[in-house]
Amino acid sequence: MGFPIKTCVVCSEEFELRPDKPGFANRCPACSAPEAEEPAAAQPVDAFDRKAQNEVNAARRKAMRDLLYRKES
Ligand SMILES: [Zn+2]
């Protein structure tokens, strides 16, 4: 006896669907793993991004203020 044979939706490789297999039921073990890299790659941008965001917000506030003053006069 064995486990049901499934075809991986990513690489079309056949694999045994074991009850304890981590990841997606329609992906082979090799294609279930790679997504662990993503959070680490996304993190370093954060501090820089927040600073850039502040500058954008400040510029937007200034532009808004200029717009309001122009409307009044
Ligand atoms: Zn695969």
Side-chain angles (χ1 to χ4, degrees), residues 8-13 15 27-32:
C8 174
V9 294
V10 179
C11 67
S12 301
E13 204 76 43
F15 64 97
R27 293 188 188 189
C28 70
C31 291
S32 296

Side-chain angles (χ1 to χ4, degrees), residues 16-42:
E16 284 186 342
L17 181 60
R18 294 161 189 264
D20 61 343
K21 185 186 110 34
F24 298 95
N26 56 0
R27 293 188 188 189
C28 70
C31 291
S32 296
E35 273 139 64
E37 308 169 6
E38 281 176 30

